[in-house]
C-alpha cells in the first residue's frame, strides 16, 4: 500500500503528460492546464480524502475484475468509481487503482488567484472543462462555468474569473443531474417511519447521480392537506441534501380538500396530486371522486397521478388468500395479479380522457399495465407512465423465496411481476418513449419493520429501495444494451420529469441559466450492488448482487461538488424546496388545444310537439312555457339531479297535457322527414373515437 | 314475396307431421342435402327416402337452405319502465321474431331493486306464458346484492332452470353494483355453474358526464351519446373481464356497441379469458349519427345503452369480428317504446326510455352484412344466429341444430329475397324502425316453430300463448369445461417457511390475523405450482440467479440501534439464513 501511495505521489510529480494515459488510443480528450497529473497546489485541501481509509477498498480493487465480482465489490470504493477508462484494460485499471489515471481531475486555482480569493476555499465558482454535454436532444463538447449554483456560461475558451475550481472532464459525459420523481423518504407508517429519512435518502440519491427528488406528502385520510404539506416541508428543509419538490396525495375528497388543493397549487408550488385506486376503505377513491378530482385538476393546471390497482378486488383476493392459509409474502403478489393493475390503469385513463386531464401513472410494474399506457398514448391520450427502479431492474420471483426477510423486502404495491421478462419489456417501452419518466418509489423499511406482517402479508409495510441505483440501473439495462442512447437516457432520468413538473429548463437541462445540478458520468465503471455498501439504511437491497455498468464520477449539486472519488460531501439541510407552477406546457399544451375543440353543441331542433306518454305520475297540466320557448338553453335542473331513473323516480312532467292540445303550429319543423338533416357534431367524436 | 301486404289466407295446417323434402340442411359445422321429418314438434328422421306415415304435410324445399331457427338471446319484451311498458309485449314481440326467422327468444327479467328475484321471475313467466308465440327462456338481472339474493339465485338455478344472470355496471344508484359486489356475484355464479352477463358501461362516469352535458344546455338525444362515449363502455368491459378472470367465472358481455369494446373482448379472448361478446342488431346494422337528427322523434328512437357509436365504420367492424369469431352470439336487445313514451325525455335526454328494435331484422341483417359480403359462410351464419347461443346457454343440441331429436324449429331460408325494412311493414307496435330504408337481401321463406308452420308465403300464423318456457341447466359444457379445468389448476399454495423469528418492529395496535402459519407448514406444497398467470414461480426460484450474491448481509444483525426489537429465541435455526 505504501508503495502504491509512493506511486501516486511520484505520478503526481514526475509523470509527463503524454505518459499519463497509456493505452488510450481512442478519443483523446481535450487536455488543458498541462494535462492530468500536473502538480496542483491545494488540490485536495477542500476535500476529505482519507487515503488510509480508501486503501481498504483499493486493496480489493487490485484483484482482477472477475475476482471483484465474486467478492461483491463495494460500490462506493474509489476503486470502482473512478478508474476505469475508455479503452483501458481492466487489469491495468485494477493495478493502478485509479489514482494514477483519474478520468476527471479537480483542481483549485493556485498562485495568484488563490491570493485574490483569499479564504474562498468553498468558492461557488466551478468550471468543467472538456466535458461532453449531453442533453435530451443533443450532445456536444463545451466547457461549463457555474457560479452561485447556476450555469453562467457554456462554450469554448470561456472567460472566467480567477479562483475557479476546475474539473477536467476529459471528454466524459456531463449530464443534467437525475430527478427522482417518486420517493417516500421519512414516511410515517403506523407510528414508525421509513428507515431512510430525508438526509439518508437524499444522500443515497446524490451518490447515485440524482440531484433532485420529489417526495410524496401523504396526509392521513381526514386530516388537512396543508398541515401535512407543512410537516413534510419542515422535515425536508431540515434534512435534505439536494433540492426537492413535493407531490401531495389526496387521500379523501370534499370541498375543503378542494380548497386546499387550490391553495397548494396557487401558493405552495405543488402541481401534482396523487390519488389512490387501491387501499380500500383507506386511501381509495371511487370513480366519481376520481372524476371530480381530475376535473378540478384539469381546471387548475395540475397533474393527476394515480396509484393504479383495483382495491376492491384486491380486498376480496386478500381475504381469499388468507383463508387459504397463504400468509407469506407470496400472498402479496398472488392477491394483486397484474391484471388488476392493468384494469385500474385502463379505468384511470378513461376517466382522465373524459375529464381532459393529463394523467400520470405512478409505478408501472407489469407488462400489461405498460401496454395499456402505450395503447392509450397511441390513441392520443395525454398519459405518462413511470416505471420504477425495482420494476426495471428485478422481478417478483423473489416473493417465493424461502427466506422470509428477503421475500418481504420485495413487497411493494403494485407488486413486482413474477414474470421474469418484465424488466426487459419495461426497459424497451421506456426506450421507445411509451413510458416517459422514471422514479424509484424509494420507501425502505427495516426487516424488523417488515416483520410486522410476518403472520399476515397484508400487514407488511410496502416499499422497496432504488433511489441510489436508479441511474446506473437504467444505464446498464437500457443504454449499454443499445435500447436507448445517452440523450434518451437524460430524457427519462431527468428532462421529462422536469418538464412534467414545469421545472424545465431550470432543471433537467444543461443550459445557461439552469441550475448547476450536473453529473459527470462514467460509462464504464462497473460495480456490484449490495446492501453492504449502499447508502440506504435498509438491510436488504432488492438488487443485491446485480452488476451494473455506468456510474456517476462527480456529482455537482447546487454548484457544489458533492460526490467525487467516491466520497460524498453532502450537507444536511442545504436542499431547497423548488416550487412547481401549474399548467406545465409539456402536458397542458395539448390539453388546452383539445379543450377548445371539445366544445359540445346541442342540435337546434324545434320543440317536440307530439304526444307524450304518461309515466309514473303527472303533476298538473300546466304547460311550462319557458321550456317551450327555450328548449336547449334551460335544462331543468332538478330533472337531472335524479340521475338516470329507470326505477320510477318521478320527474316533473308538466308538459303532459299541453302537448296533446298543442295546435300543430310547428308541424312542418318536426314532421317525419325521412331525409333528415344529420348534423354531425363530431368535433368531440373525432378526438375520442378511433 | 315482396313485403307482407299480400293477405292471402291459406288454410292453416294444423297437422303435427311435417316433411321437408330436398332441403340443404345447414348446421354450424356442415351443409348437406337431406329430407327432414318432424312429428310432435321434434325432428324424428333425417335422410333420403324417409319412410313416413301418410297424411303428412310436405314442403318442397327445392334445394333451398334449411337452418336451425334463430335464437335471439337478448330481448326485453313488455319491459316495465317507470310505469310505462315497452311497446312490444310478448305476443307482438315473438310474432316479430318469428317473422324474422327467430324461433326462440331469451328475455330479461328486470326486478326492481328491492323486489325478490323469484317473484319477478314468476311475474315474467306469467306474462310470457300467456302471450309468447315461440319458445322462450329467461335471464335474470341482478339489480341489487345481498345475502338473500344469493339464495334466490340458487333457487332460480336449481328449481327454475335459469343459468344466466345479468349485472349492471351502469345506471348509478339504480341498478349499478360496485366492483366488490360484482366480484361476489361472479363468485356465486361460478359456483352455481351459470353465466355472468354484464351491461358494461361505467355508471359513475356517465352520471358525471350527464350532469355536465345538461349543464351545457344539451338536452336532446345527442346528449345521450355524448355522455356515454365508447371509451366508457370499453373501460367497463375491461373491468368486468378482469373481475371475471379473477373469479374464474365465464363472462358474457351484452350489447357490444363500439369498436373499442369489441377490441377489448377480442384481446381478452386472445389472452385466454372465457368471455363472450354479443353485438346486437342495432350495432351491426346502423350507427349513432342519427342522434344528431333534427327530427327529435327519430333521434330519440335510437336511444339505447350503450349508445350506438357515432363512428359510421362501427357496424362493418363488428360484423368482421363476428365473422372471425371474436364475437360469438347475436341478440337484438329488442326493447321498443312509442314516440310518445320516448317524449317523456323530450327536455332531458336522461329520461328517454332506452331501447331499439331489432328482433325481426336480426337474421336478415346479419345475412346481408356478413354472408352476402363474403365475411362469413352459411354455417358460420348459423353459429352466430343460433348454435353458439344454444351452446352458451346449454340448450344445445335441443336448439341450434338440425339433428334427430332436436326441436323442430326450422327456417327455410331464401338468400335472394330482397326487402326494404320500413316501419310501415314491420310487425312491431312502434312508429319508428331504426333500420328504416335499409335494403336487406336474404330472408325466411318458411318458418317452423314447434313443428308447426308459422310463416308461409309472407303470412304469419302464430298462436298466442303456445310458447313454452325452456329451462336451462347449469354448467354448460361449452363454457364450463375450460372453467373447471382451470379451477383445478389455479389452486394456490403458500411457501412453506420456518417461522420468522427475527426482530419485529413494534407498531401501534394493528389488527392481526392469528398465526395460520402452522397450517401452511403441515401442508407441504406437493408442488406442480401451476398458476396459469405466473410462470411457475417456485420452480424458478431454485434456478433463480438471485443467489449469485450469496447470503444476504442480514445475518440477523439489526443495524438500527434505535429500534426496539424482540430478541430471537435462542438455539433455533433462523429462517433468515435459509435463503
Amino acid at each position: 500500500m505504501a508503495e502504491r501511495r509512493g506511486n501516486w505521489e511520484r505520478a503526481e510529480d514526475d509523470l509527463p503528460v503524454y505518459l499519463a494515459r497509456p493505452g488510450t488510443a481512442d478519443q483523446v480528450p481535450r487536455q488543458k492546464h498541462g494535462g492530468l497529473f500536473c502538480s496542483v497546489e491545494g488540490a485536495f485541501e477542500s476535500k476529505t480524502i482519507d487515503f488510509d481509509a480508501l486503501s481498504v477498498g483499493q486493496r480489493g480493487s487490485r484483484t482482477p475484475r472477475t475476482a471483484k465480482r465474486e467478492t461483491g465489490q463495494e460500490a462506493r470504493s474509489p476503486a470502482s468509481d473512478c478508474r476505469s477508462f475508455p479503452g483501458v484494460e481492466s487489469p491495468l485499471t485494477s493495478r493502478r487503482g485509479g489514482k494514477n489515471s483519474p478520468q476527471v481531475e479537480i483542481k483549485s486555482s493556485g498562485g495568484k488567484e488563490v491570493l485574490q480569493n483569499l479564504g474562498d476555499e468553498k468558492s461557488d465558482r466551478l468550471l468543467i472543462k472538456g466535458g461532453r454535454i449531453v442533453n435530451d436532444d443533443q450532445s456536444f463538447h463545451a466547457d461549463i462555468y457555474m457560479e452561485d449554483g447556476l450555469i453562467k456560461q457554456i462554450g469554448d475558451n470561456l472567460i472566467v474569473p480567477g479562483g475557479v475550481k476546475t474539473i477536467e472532464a476529459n471528454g466524459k459525459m456531463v449530464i443534467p443531474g437525475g430527478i427522482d420523481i417518486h420517493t417516500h423518504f421519512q414516511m410515517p407508517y403506523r407510528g414508525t417511519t421509513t428507515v431512510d429519512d430525508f438526509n439518508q435518502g437524499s444522500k443515497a440519491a446524490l451518490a447515485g447521480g440524482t440531484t433532485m427528488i420529489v417526495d410524496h406528502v401523504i396526509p392521513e385520510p381526514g386530516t388537512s392537506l396543508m398541515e401535512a404539506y407543512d410537516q413534510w416541508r419542515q422535515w425536508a428543509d431540515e434534512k435534505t441534501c439536494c433540492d426537492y419538490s413535493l407531490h401531495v396525495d389526496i387521500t379523501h375528497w370534499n370541498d375543503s380538500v378542494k380548497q386546499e388543493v387550490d391553495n397548494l397549487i396557487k401558493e405552495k408550488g405543488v402541481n401534482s396530486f396523487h390519488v389512490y385506486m387501491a387501499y380500500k376503505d383507506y386511501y381509495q377513491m371511487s370513480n366519481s371522486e376520481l372524476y371530480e378530482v381530475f376535473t378540478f385538476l384539469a381546471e387548475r393546471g395540475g397533474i393527476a397521478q394515480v396509484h393504479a390497482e383495483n382495491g376492491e378486488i384486491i380486498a376480496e383476493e386478500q381475504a381469499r388468500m388468507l383463508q387459504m392459509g397463504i400468509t407469506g409474502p407470496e400472498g402479496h403478489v398472488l392477491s394483486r395479479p397484474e391484471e388488476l393493475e392493468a384494469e385500474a390503469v385502463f379505468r384511470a385513463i378513461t376517466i382522465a380522457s373524459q375529464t381532459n386531464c393529463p394523467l400520470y401513472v405512478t409505478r408501472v410494474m407489469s407488462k400489461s399495465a405498460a401496454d395499456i399506457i402505450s395503447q392509450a398514448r397511441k390513441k392520443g391520450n395525454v398519459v405518462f407512465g413511470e416505471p420504477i427502479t425495482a420494476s426495471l431492474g428485478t422481478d417478483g420471483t423473489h416473493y417465493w423465496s424461502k427466506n422470509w426477510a428477503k421475500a418481504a423486502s420485495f413487497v411493494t404495491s403494485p407488486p413486482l411481476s413474477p414474470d421474469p421478462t418484465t424488466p426487459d419489456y419495461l426497459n424497451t417501452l421506456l426506450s421507445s418513449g411509451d413510458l416517459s419518466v422514471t422514479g424509484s418509489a424509494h420507501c425502505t423499511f427495516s426487516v424488523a419493520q417488515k416483520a410486522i406482517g410476518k403472520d399476515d402479508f397484508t400487514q407488511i409495510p410496502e416499499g422497496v429501495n432504488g433511489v441510489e441505483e436508479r441511474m446506473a440501473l437504467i444505464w446498464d439495462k437500457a443504454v449499454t444494451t443499445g435500447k436507448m442512447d445517452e440523450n434518451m437516457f437524460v430524457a427519462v432520468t431527468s428532462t421529462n420529469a422536469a418538464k412534467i413538473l414545469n421545472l424545465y429548463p431550470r432543471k433537467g437541462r444543461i443550459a445557461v441559466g439552469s441550475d448547476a445540478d450536473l453529473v459527470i458520468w462514467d460509462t464504464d465503471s462497473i460495480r456490484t450492488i449490495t446492501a453492504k455498501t449502499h447508502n440506504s439504511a435498509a438491510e436488504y437491497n432488492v438488487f443485491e448482487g446485480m452488476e451494473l455498468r455506468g456510474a456517476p464520477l462527480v456529482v455537482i449539486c447546487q454548484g457544489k461538488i458533492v460526490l467525487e472519488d467516491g466520497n460524498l460531501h453532502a450537507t444536511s439541510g442545504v436542499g431547497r424546496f423548488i416550487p412547481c407552477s401549474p399548467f406545465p406546457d409539456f402536458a397542458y399544451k395539448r390539453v388546452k388545444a383539445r379543450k377548445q375543440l371539445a366544445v359540445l353543441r346541442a342540435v337546434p331542433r324545434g320543440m317536440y310537439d307530439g304526444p307524450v306518454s304518461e309515466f309514473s305520475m303527472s303533476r298538473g297540466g300546466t304547460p311550462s312555457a319557458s321550456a317551450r320557448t327555450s328548449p336547449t338553453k334551460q335544462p331543468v335542473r332538478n330533472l337531472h339531479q335524479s340521475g338516470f331513473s329507470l326505477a320510477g323516480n318521478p320527474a316533473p312532467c308538466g308538459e303532459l297535457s299541453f302537448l296533446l292540445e298543442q295546435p300543430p303550429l310547428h308541424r312542418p319543423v318536426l314532421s317525419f322527414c325521412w331525409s333528415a338533416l344529420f348534423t354531425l357534431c363530431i368535433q368531440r367524436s373525432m378526438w375520442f373515437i378511433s | 314475396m315482396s313485403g307482407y301486404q299480400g293477405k292471402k289466407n291459406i288454410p292453416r295446417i294444423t297437422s303435427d307431421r311435417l316433411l321437408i323434402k330436398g332441403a340443404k340442411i345447414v348446421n354450424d359445422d356442415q351443409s348437406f342435402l337431406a329430407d327432414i321429418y318432424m312429428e310432435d314438434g321434434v325432428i324424428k328422421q333425417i335422410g333420403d327416402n324417409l319412410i313416413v306415415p301418410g297424411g303428412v304435410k310436405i314442403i318442397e324445399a327445392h334445394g333451398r337452405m334449411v337452418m336451425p331457427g334463430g335464437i335471439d338471446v337478448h330481448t326485453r319484451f313488455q319491459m316495465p319502465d317507470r310505469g310505462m311498458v315497452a311497446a312490444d309485449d310478448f305476443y307482438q314481440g315473438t310474432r316479430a321474431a318469428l317473422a324474422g326467422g327467430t324461433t326462440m327468444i331469451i328475455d330479461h327479467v328486470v326486478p326492481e331493486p328491492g323486489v325478490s328475484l323469484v317473484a319477478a321471475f314468476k311475474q315474467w313467466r306469467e306474462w310470457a306464458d300467456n302471450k309468447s308465440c315461440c319458445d322462450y327462456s329467461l335471464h335474470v338481472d341482478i339489480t341489487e346484492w345481498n345475502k338473500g339474493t344469493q339464495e334466490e339465485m340458487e333457487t332460480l338455478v336449481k328449481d327454475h332452470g335459469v343459468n344466466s344472470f345479468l349485472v349492471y355496471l351502469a345506471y348509478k344508484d339504480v341498478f349499478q353494483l360496485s366492483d366488490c359486489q360484482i366480484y361476489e356475484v361472479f363468485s356465486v355464479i361460478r359456483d352455481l355453474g351459470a353465466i355472468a352477463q354484464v351491461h358494461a358501461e361505467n355508471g359513475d362516469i356517465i352520471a358525471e358526464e350527464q350532469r355536465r352535458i345538461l349543464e351545457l344546455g344539451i338536452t336532446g338525444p345527442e346528449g345521450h351519446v355524448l355522455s356515454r362515449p365508447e371509451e366508457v363502455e370499453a373501460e367497463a368491459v375491461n373491468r368486468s373481464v378482469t373481475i371475471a378472470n379473477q373469479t374464474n367465472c365465464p363472462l358474457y358481455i351484452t350489447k357490444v356497441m363500439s369498436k373499442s369494446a369489441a377490441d377489448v373482448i377480442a384481446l381478452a379472448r386472445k389472452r385466454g379469458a372465457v368471455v363472450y361478446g354479443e353485438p346486437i342488431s342495432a350495432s351491426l346494422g346502423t350507427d349513432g349519427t342519427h342522434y344528431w337528427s333534427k327530427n327529435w322523434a327519430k333521434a330519440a328512437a335510437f336511444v339505447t345503452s350503450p349508445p350506438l357509436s357515432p363512428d359510421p365504420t362501427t357496424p362493418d367492424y363488428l360484423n368482421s369480428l363476428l365473422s372471425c369469431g371474436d364475437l360469438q352470439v347475436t341478440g337484438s336487445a329488442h326493447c321498443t317504446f312509442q314516440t310518445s313514451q320516448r317524449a317523456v325525455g323530450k327536455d332531458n335526454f336522461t329520461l328517454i326510455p332506452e331501447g331499439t328494435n331489432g328482433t325481426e331484422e336480426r337474421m336478415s341483417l346479419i345475412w346481408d352484412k356478413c354472408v352476402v359480403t363474403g365475411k362469413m359462410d352459411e354455417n358460420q351464419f348459423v353459429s352466430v344466429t343460433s348454435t353458439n347461443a344454444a351452446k352458451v346457454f346449454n340448450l344445445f343440441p335441443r336448439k341450434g341444430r338440425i339433428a334427430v331429436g332436436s326441436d323442430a324449429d326450422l327456417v327455410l331460408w331464401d338468400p335472394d329475397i330482397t326487402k326494404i325494412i320500413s316501419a310501415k311493414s314491420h310487425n312491431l307496435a312502434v312508429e319508428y324502425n331504426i333500420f328504416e330504408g335499409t335494403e336487406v337481401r336474404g330472408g325466411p321463406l318458411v318458418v317452423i316453430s314447434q313443428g308447426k308452420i308459422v310463416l308461409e308465403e309472407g303470412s304469419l300464423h302464430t298462436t298466442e300463448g303456445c310458447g313454452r318456457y325452456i329451462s336451462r341447466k347449469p354448467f354448460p359444457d361449452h363454457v364450463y369445461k375450460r372453467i373447471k379445468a382451470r379451477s383445478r389448476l389455479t389452486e394456490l399454495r403458500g411457501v412453506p417457511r420456518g417461522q420468522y423469528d427475527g426482530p419485529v418492529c413494534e407498531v401501534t395496535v394493528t389488527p392481526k390475523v392469528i398465526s395460520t402459519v402452522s397450517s401452511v407448514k403441515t401442508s407441504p406444497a406437493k408442488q406442480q405450482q401451476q398458476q396459469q398467470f405466473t410462470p411457475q414461480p417456485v420452480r424458478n426460484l431454485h434456478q433463480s440467479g438471485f443467489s449469485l450474491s450469496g447470503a444476504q448481509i442480514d445475518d440477523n444483525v439489526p443495524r438500527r440501534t434505535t429500534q426496539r426489537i424482540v430478541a430471537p429465541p435462542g438455539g433455533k435455526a433462523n429462517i433468515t439464513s435459509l435463503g
Side-chain angles (χ1 to χ4, degrees), chain A residues 190 280 288 291 312 317 325 327 330 339 353 398 406 448 452 532 539 603 605 613 632 635 640 645 679, chain B residues 82 172 180 183-184 209 214 217 222 231 239 245 292-293 340 495 497 505 507 510 516 520 546 553 576:
Chain A
R190 290 209 227 150
K280 196 186 173 192
S288 309
Y291 186 99
E312 304 214 359
E317 291 279 325
T327 57
E330 68 276 14
E339 265 191 305
S353 150
H398 307 286
K406 180 178 161 188
I452 293 166
K532 285 177 197 145
E539 295 103 316
V603 175
R605 291 188 183 92
S613 171
T632 51
H640 64 72
S645 53
T679 309
Chain B
R82 287 170 287 169
K172 195 180 180 191
C180 256
Y183 184 98
E184 282 164 25
E209 289 281 318
L214 285 173
E222 69 276 16
E231 268 189 308
R239 184 148 42 101
N245 256 359
W292 280 269
S293 166
S340 61
V495 174
R497 294 187 180 91
C505 186
V507 285
T510 51
T516 44
V520 176
F546 193 86
I553 48 84
T576 51

Side-chain angles (χ1 to χ4, degrees), chain B residues 122-168:
Chain B
K122 286 185 173 151
Q123 177 65 62
W124 255 259
R125 276 294 306 269
E126 191 188 324
W127 288 336
D129 281 338
N130 288 336
K131 293 191 165 178
S132 177
C133 312
C134 66
D135 288 350
Y136 73 98
S137 192
L138 294 171
H139 306 293
V140 177
D141 297 2
I142 312 274
T143 49
E144 63 177 349
W145 180 244
N146 52 45
K147 213 47 190 176
T149 319
Q150 183 176 341
E151 283 161 20
E152 287 194 313
M153 285 166 70
E154 234 177 290
T155 316
L156 286 170
V157 170
K158 290 189 175 140
D159 306 336
H160 296 285
V162 174
N163 73 359
S164 48
F165 297 93
L166 175 80
V167 293
Y168 293 88

Side-chain angles (χ1 to χ4, degrees), chain B residues 160-334:
Chain B
H160 296 285
V162 174
N163 73 359
S164 48
F165 297 93
L166 175 80
V167 293
Y168 293 88
L169 299 183
Y171 305 116
K172 195 180 180 191
D173 301 330
V174 185
F175 294 153
Q176 185 175 331
L177 299 186
S178 73
D179 289 358
C180 256
Q181 290 170 324
I182 290 169
Y183 184 98
E184 282 164 25
V185 173
F186 283 11
S187 304
V188 170
I189 286 177
R190 177 209 51 218
D191 292 341
L192 292 174
I195 315 283
Q197 301 187 305
V198 290
H199 175 113
E201 279 183 298
N202 188 319
D204 291 334
I205 303 182
I206 290 171
E208 300 278 348
E209 289 281 318
Q210 284 181 336
R211 188 159 63 230
R212 186 172 73 90
I213 284 175
L214 285 173
E215 268 166 20
L216 288 171
I218 299 175
T219 57
E222 69 276 16
H224 179 74
V225 64
L226 291 176
S227 64
R228 293 166 174 264
E230 67 175 78
E231 268 189 308
V232 168
E233 186 191 350
E235 189 281 315
V237 172
N238 185 57
R239 184 148 42 101
S240 46
V241 167
T242 307
I243 302 177
N245 256 359
Q246 284 311 305
T247 50
N248 196 21
C249 175
L251 182 70
Y252 178 103
I253 312 281
T254 60
K255 302 205 219 184
V256 176
M257 305 298 277
S258 66
K259 284 180 173 182
S260 0
D263 280 341
V264 172
I265 295 172
L267 258 173
R269 288 180 64 86
K270 285 198 185 76
R271 288 199 309 251
V274 182
V275 54
Y276 303 92
E278 167 208 279
I280 65 171
S281 317
S283 60
L284 293 170
T286 183
D287 61 54
T289 52
H290 305 284
Y291 289 117
W292 280 269
S293 166
K294 293 265 186 186
N295 179 344
W296 188 91
K298 181 175 171 191
F302 286 81
V303 170
T304 186
S305 287
L308 288 157
S309 167
D311 178 351
T313 59
T314 304
D316 192 53
Y317 190 81
L318 292 181
N319 279 304
S320 299
L321 287 196
L322 187 63
S323 308
C324 78
D326 281 347
L327 302 171
Q328 300 74 32
V329 287
T330 52
S332 65
H334 189 95

Side-chain angles (χ1 to χ4, degrees), chain A residues 235-497:
Chain A
W235 287 336
D237 281 338
E238 276 171 14
K239 292 187 166 179
T240 23
C241 314
C242 64
D243 287 349
Y244 72 98
S245 191
L246 294 172
H247 306 293
V248 175
D249 294 8
I250 299 178
T251 48
H252 61 295
W253 184 246
N254 54 40
D255 281 342
S256 74
V257 173
K258 200 169 175 177
Q259 192 54 48
E260 287 187 315
V261 169
D262 201 25
N263 286 343
L264 284 168
I265 292 178
K266 283 184 182 148
E267 292 157 21
K268 300 291 186 179
V270 176
N271 77 352
S272 44
F273 295 86
H274 188 247
V275 290
Y276 292 87
M277 300 171 82
Y279 305 112
K280 196 186 173 192
D281 300 331
Y282 198 45
Y283 293 151
Q284 187 176 327
M285 295 225 167
S286 72
N287 292 340
S288 309
E289 285 170 328
L290 290 176
Y291 186 99
E292 281 171 28
V293 173
F294 286 11
T295 311
F296 186 73
L297 288 178
E299 273 170 31
R300 300 302 148 101
I303 305 278
Q305 300 189 312
V306 289
H307 176 112
E309 277 183 301
N310 189 320
E312 304 214 359
I313 304 180
I314 289 171
E316 300 276 348
E317 291 279 325
Q318 283 181 336
R320 190 166 73 93
M321 291 301 151
L322 289 174
Q323 264 173 16
M324 291 168 66
I326 298 178
T327 57
E330 68 276 14
H332 180 74
V333 64
L334 291 176
S335 64
R336 293 166 175 263
E338 67 176 74
E339 265 191 305
L340 302 191
E341 188 192 347
E343 188 281 315
V345 171
F346 197 106
R347 186 150 41 100
I349 288 171
T350 307
I351 299 175
S353 150
Q354 284 309 304
T355 53
N356 202 10
C357 177
L359 182 73
Y360 179 105
V361 180
T362 60
R363 301 200 229 198
V364 176
M365 305 298 278
S366 66
K367 283 180 172 183
S368 5
D371 278 341
I372 303 260
I373 291 172
S374 71
Q375 274 169 27
R377 287 174 67 89
K378 285 196 188 77
K379 281 190 287 189
N381 294 65
V382 182
V383 52
F384 306 103
E386 168 208 278
I388 65 170
T389 321
S391 60
L392 292 169
T394 183
D395 59 55
T397 51
H398 307 286
Y399 290 116
W400 279 267
S401 167
K402 294 261 187 190
N403 179 344
W404 187 91
K406 180 178 161 188
S409 70
F410 285 82
V411 169
T412 186
S413 288
L416 288 157
S417 167
D419 177 352
T421 60
T422 304
D424 192 53
Y425 191 80
L426 292 181
N427 278 298
T428 306
L429 288 194
L430 187 63
S431 310
S432 71
D434 282 349
L435 300 173
S436 317
V437 289
T438 51
S440 66
H442 189 92
C443 179
T444 45
F445 290 96
S446 65
V447 172
Q449 285 171 319
K450 292 265 185 189
I452 293 166
K454 72 189 172 64
D455 298 324
D456 176 357
F457 65 86
T458 63
Q459 307 293 323
I460 301 174
E462 295 170 356
V464 290
N465 64 300
V467 72
E468 186 175 357
E469 298 80 4
R470 187 177 64 103
M471 304 271 286
L473 196 130
I474 295 168
W475 184 271
D476 182 77
K477 299 273 176 187
V479 185
T480 56
T481 57
K483 284 184 202 283
M484 61 169 77
D485 59 19
E486 59 201 27
N487 304 99
M488 190 67 187
F489 173 74
V490 168
V492 299
T493 54
S494 176
T495 310
N496 288 349

Side-chain angles (χ1 to χ4, degrees), chain B residues 72 110 134 221 238 259 270 308-310 325 418 454 548 554 578:
Chain B
D72 188 342
V110 191
C134 66
N238 185 57
K259 284 180 173 182
K270 285 198 185 76
L308 288 157
S309 167
T418 315
V454 291
L548 263 184
D554 57 294
L578 288 178

